[in-house]
Amino acid sequence: MQPLRLAAIGLVVFISSALSSPATSQEAVPGLTDLDSLLEVRISTASKYEQTAGEAPAAVTIVTAEEIARFGYRTLTEVLENVRGFYSTNDRLLDYIGTRGFNRTADNNNRLLLMINGHTMNESYFGSSYYGDDLGLNLDAVERIEIVRGPGSVLYGTSAMFAVINVITRDGAAVNGMKAYGELGSYGRRTAGLTAGRLFSNGLDVSLSGRVTRADGADLYFPEYDSPQTNNGVARDCDWERQRSLLATAAWGDFSFLGFLGTRKKGVPTSPWGIDFNIPATSFLEEYKLTELKYEHRLSSGHELMLRTYVDHYGQRGHYFFDGVIGQEKFAENHYGSEVRYLWDPKPYLRLIAGAEFQKHPRAFFRSWGPDKVYFDQDHPFHTWSAYLEEELQLRTNLLLTLGLRHDKYASRSNSTVPRAALVWAAARGSSVKLLYGEAFRAPNVNEVFYDAPSIAQGNPNLKPEKIQTFELVLESRLAASLHGTLSFYDNSMRDFIEQVEASEDQLSHFVNAGRLRARGIETGLKADFASRYGVYLNYAYQLPRNRTNGYRLPNSPRNLVQAGASASLPHGLSAALQCRYSSSRRSDKGVTADAFTLFDLNLAGEIVPDRLRLAFKVRNLFDSRYDYPAGLPLLQAVVPQNGRTVQLRLECWF
């Protein structure tokens, strides 16, 4: 309990310093752009309209384009694993993001909600979201990333249980030209990217970005397969990858457009589900296709209308071998929908936000087949209706109350109703205290309800939605002119947690509502930025998640997380950034413990031709530490080894 005692002392110190800080102007202080952005930049994710991060009824982190460039982030996973309270796992196929003690291996990230410009990226067959090369987003196109912790279902529906992550892309005016880059890295990795944008004289704003990646991958040793029949445990030429993506945005007047195309094909070196080991032809293909058209109009003072309609497609395809016999599987889901949202300010101290959304899924199917037999072939279309209402009441000039409620109606599945309440006190200029309560849900996905394969698995149409209840206290303050601090305490309780039960003699593998979970923890962070030339940050998270049914600690849940970084802008266009992250040990689903580890990343950059040509050099795992991540149930392995030191050399050009 020592961390709790330390946190209690820290709480007293934090409140005292926040309340005793002299009032400072809300005007941006020169040289403190990053610190101001933490509380005063206008964000839209927390409440579906623009407000400052300090006013938002949640614990919010904003990662800016400048920070992405400074630390040399290549994927959203790299961003998030350096954000307070977040951590990652990789099983050599996909990246999994954990927060607040919860990161079930092989759960497809379906308890986090990922969005691009407010458009949900979670697909509907598994509810999955992707953050690494499996998404393939060119981060040069990103203006900022808004990370809103805690339950977000009142505004966004299913899957928004632990956090909502909204990637805001740069518009054409911000890009104002074209940027291209080429990159070479370890394990035969080659990447090329392009970002272009322009604001035309007629008011049309257009941006375009894309990325292509090829990688040979590492040869990996797994002791569980160490026999002459399985190449002595070495998976050779099986970790390869091919990826490409394209993102387009356009805006003209009150109308805006978003389009995204992405495909990724990956070798599978770990042999999940007992498929043949060391087969380079084994592969996993996934693809995104989405379009959205949005209309936003200010009808009059205090009245705003938003309408949007969208069409999305997500597909997966597997190619594998069992005992030398080829097998294939295909998942696909298509959906379209519309949302209407109305914002009304009936009084100077009152704001109402009401919305409704309809979503139709005409296709949600899975097919599995071999050379002469179809094992599984089913389609389960469905539709949903949702309605939400949120009220914001200014009780005093420095006290804001937020109340919200949402109802979701699922065809052929259980419905959900969730509330939200928040009290935000602006204790002083640049400081706020937030008392938060919220509930969120995750509807059982198509795979959990309907997957029914002879002699392998059976569906469970009686599954209920998962529900989470969260209490949180958040303290944010500019502790000094160049220092910002955050401290939060949370208590999460989850019921009807959905878990897969392995096959037994009398029953096939299936999903059940397994019971109750509880997680309590502390997250704290300090960030300093000096004259926009030097910056440091330090984050710590203590998390204690338990299964309330049996009292066991949850798998893949490090008790302690530490993240630290320092950066400097040097003369002659040079910059340097060093980051460190520590994770305490994690237990796998199989009861084996993956040891604690500490990793360092270094990013160096310099301008060859000012504003035209830039060279960047990044080293991940600088000291070549050996570390493993816990493996999920589909794998024979208990832990999955990760890469040692890797290097990336990147040349960037502006036109």
Side-chain angles (χ1 to χ4, degrees):
M1 296 296 291
Q2 187 176 4
L4 293 177
R5 295 194 188 100
L6 293 174
I9 297 172
L11 175 62
V12 175
V13 175
F14 195 102
I15 293 177
S16 300
S17 61
L19 296 181
S20 62
S21 297
T24 58
S25 172
Q26 288 184 316
E27 296 292 327
V29 181
L32 294 178
T33 304
D34 290 327
L35 288 183
D36 285 342
S37 72
L38 292 170
L39 286 177
E40 296 173 14
V41 72
R42 302 194 72 79
I43 66 170
S44 57
T45 306
S47 298
K48 282 197 173 182
Y49 77 92
E50 284 196 351
Q51 60 184 166
T52 67
E55 296 169 339
V60 178
T61 293
I62 301 166
V63 180
T64 65
E66 191 274 335
E67 290 173 306
I68 291 171
R70 181 194 308 173
F71 293 108
Y73 297 135
R74 288 352 186 224
T75 65
L76 289 181
T77 297
E78 292 185 20
V79 173
L80 292 171
E81 65 190 8
N82 291 287
V83 169
R84 182 180 73 252
F86 282 78
Y87 60 101
S88 66
T89 305
N90 181 280
D91 61 2
R92 314 300 305 201
L93 180 61
L94 300 172
D95 287 348
Y96 305 95
I97 303 300
T99 187
R100 299 193 164 177
F102 199 96
N103 186 9
R104 299 306 301 268
T105 48
D107 74 351
N108 298 299
N109 296 310
N110 56 23
R111 296 174 181 90
L112 297 173
L113 190 70
L114 175 66
M115 301 189 298
I116 295 180
N117 294 344
H119 184 102
T120 296
M121 299 298 292
N122 294 54
E123 52 82 27
S124 298
Y125 195 93
F126 299 97
S128 55
S129 56
Y130 297 97
Y131 297 86
D133 289 323
D134 32 29
L135 177 64
L137 182 67
N138 182 353
L139 294 191
D140 284 347
V142 174
E143 179 69 27
R144 67 182 183 275
I145 302 170
E146 299 176 2
I147 302 160
V148 180
R149 295 169 180 79
S153 286
V154 164
L155 294 179
Y156 298 105
T158 185
S159 295
M161 299 190 74
F162 291 96
V164 176
I165 300 160
N166 192 10
V167 180
I168 309 298
T169 63
R170 304 174 71 192
D171 57 25
V175 176
N176 193 29
M178 184 168 63
K179 176 184 177 182
Y181 74 84
E183 183 174 278
L184 297 176
S186 301
Y187 303 115
R189 185 179 179 87
R190 296 90 69 196
T191 302
L194 178 71
T195 304
R198 183 180 176 186
L199 174 61
F200 294 91
S201 58
N202 63 357
L204 177 64
D205 185 290
V206 178
S207 71
L208 188 70
S209 65
R211 196 186 88 160
V212 177
T213 297
R214 299 286 185 271
D216 300 331
D219 293 335
L220 301 165
Y221 170 70
F222 302 105
E224 294 84 356
Y225 289 94
D226 194 345
S227 72
Q229 293 78 21
T230 51
N231 198 35
N232 298 312
V234 178
R236 196 176 304 279
D237 300 325
C238 296
D239 196 33
W240 54 268
E241 182 174 11
R242 308 286 184 266
Q243 178 273 326
R244 62 181 184 270
S245 66
L246 181 66
L247 174 75
T249 69
W252 187 55
D254 293 333
F255 292 91
S256 61
F257 168 83
L258 170 69
F260 183 73
L261 301 173
T263 65
R264 185 224 194 193
K265 193 173 185 180
K266 178 74 173 65
V268 188
T270 52
S271 299
W273 305 113
I275 62 179
D276 292 350
F277 183 76
N278 190 36
I279 306 294
T282 298
S283 65
F284 173 81
L285 171 70
E286 57 192 346
E287 60 180 8
Y288 279 103
K289 297 177 184 178
L290 66 89
T291 58
E292 177 183 283
L293 182 63
K294 183 186 295 184
Y295 172 79
E296 296 178 282
H297 183 66
R298 186 178 181 87
L299 301 172
S300 62
S301 178
H303 295 266
E304 295 181 13
L305 176 67
M306 189 282 293
L307 300 169
R308 70 183 183 105
T309 186
Y310 51 87
V311 179
D312 288 13
H313 164 79
Y314 178 81
Q316 293 184 11
R317 186 156 185 168
H319 185 93
Y320 49 82
F321 297 84
F322 277 109
D323 297 326
V325 178
I326 190 172
Q328 297 186 70
E329 62 183 24
K330 184 176 183 180
F331 302 85
E333 70 91 8
N334 299 331
H335 67 265
Y336 58 86
S338 295
E339 180 185 6
V340 56
R341 183 176 74 247
Y342 192 79
L343 184 150
W344 178 34
D345 295 334
K347 300 289 183 180
Y349 52 83
L350 178 63
R351 168 164 289 174
L352 299 175
I353 304 167
E357 184 173 3
F358 171 76
Q359 216 175 77
K360 176 71 173 178
H361 300 254
R363 189 183 190 208
F365 86 91
F366 169 51
R367 188 171 189 263
S368 177
W369 69 97
D372 53 7
K373 184 179 180 180
V374 175
Y375 302 106
F376 184 87
D377 190 357
Q378 290 190 14
D379 190 11
H380 296 281
F382 67 98
H383 64 270
T384 66
W385 286 94
S386 308
Y388 58 88
L389 176 65
E390 185 162 284
E391 175 191 69
E392 295 186 357
L393 181 62
Q394 197 83 33
L395 299 177
R396 297 178 61 187
T397 56
N398 63 346
L399 193 61
L400 179 65
L401 174 66
T402 300
L403 300 173
L405 188 69
R406 181 188 182 101
H407 179 74
D408 288 74
K409 181 176 178 58
Y410 279 76
S412 73
R413 277 179 276 174
S414 299
N415 304 324
S416 293
T417 302
V418 290
R420 172 190 193 182
L423 192 62
V424 179
W425 174 38
R429 293 283 179 87
S431 300
S432 61
V433 179
K434 303 178 181 182
L435 185 60
L436 311 173
Y437 170 81
E439 295 183 16
F441 74 97
R442 184 179 74 85
N445 59 53
V446 176
N447 180 64
E448 293 165 339
V449 174
F450 296 112
Y451 181 59
D452 195 350
S455 304
I456 300 175
Q458 62 188 33
N460 183 359
N462 297 317
L463 281 176
K464 296 183 291 185
E466 294 179 344
K467 292 286 186 70
I468 191 170
Q469 183 183 67
T470 297
F471 294 91
E472 185 172 2
L473 174 64
V474 181
L475 309 169
E476 300 173 329
S477 180
R478 181 180 293 162
L479 302 173
S482 302
L483 180 65
H484 177 271
T486 301
L487 178 65
S488 62
F489 303 83
Y490 63 86
D491 188 334
N492 293 340
S493 296
M494 186 188 295
R495 65 182 186 273
D496 296 322
F497 168 66
I498 298 175
E499 189 169 31
Q500 188 171 20
V501 177
E502 295 188 71
S504 60
E505 292 184 1
D506 58 347
Q507 199 168 27
L508 301 178
S509 170
H510 61 289
F511 289 90
V512 299
N513 292 108
R516 293 175 174 264
L517 309 177
R518 185 176 186 183
R520 291 172 292 173
I522 306 160
E523 294 173 351
T524 185
L526 293 171
K527 184 175 182 179
D529 199 9
F530 305 101
S532 293
R533 293 190 60 188
Y534 307 100
V536 295
Y537 71 87
L538 176 63
N539 300 325
Y540 171 70
Y542 174 79
Q543 44 199 26
L544 188 63
R546 296 284 184 184
N547 187 319
R548 297 180 68 178
T549 303
N550 53 32
Y552 292 161
R553 178 181 165 190
L554 293 186
N556 196 23
S557 179
R559 182 164 294 184
N560 296 283
L561 294 169
V562 180
Q563 300 142 330
S567 62
S569 297
L570 306 173
H572 309 296
L574 301 176
S575 65
L578 180 68
Q579 292 178 284
C580 170
R581 61 184 187 277
Y582 165 82
S583 169
S584 59
S585 61
R586 316 180 195 181
R587 184 177 61 86
S588 76
D589 287 302
K590 301 172 178 63
V592 176
T593 298
D595 293 336
F597 60 81
T598 303
L599 303 176
F600 289 83
D601 298 337
L602 175 67
N603 189 60
L604 304 173
E607 291 186 344
I608 301 173
V609 179
D611 300 322
R612 291 294 181 186
L613 202 61
R614 181 174 180 264
L615 188 65
F617 179 71
K618 182 163 187 178
V619 185
R620 284 178 59 83
N621 193 359
L622 179 64
F623 298 108
D624 200 24
S625 300
R626 176 171 178 171
Y627 69 107
D628 307 301
Y629 285 139
L633 289 175
L635 303 183
L636 178 63
Q637 299 92 327
V639 295
V640 179
Q642 301 301 301
N643 291 336
R645 182 189 300 113
T646 61
V647 298
Q648 299 162 322
L649 183 64
R650 175 167 170 160
L651 182 65
E652 302 173 341
C653 305
W654 283 264
F655 303 93

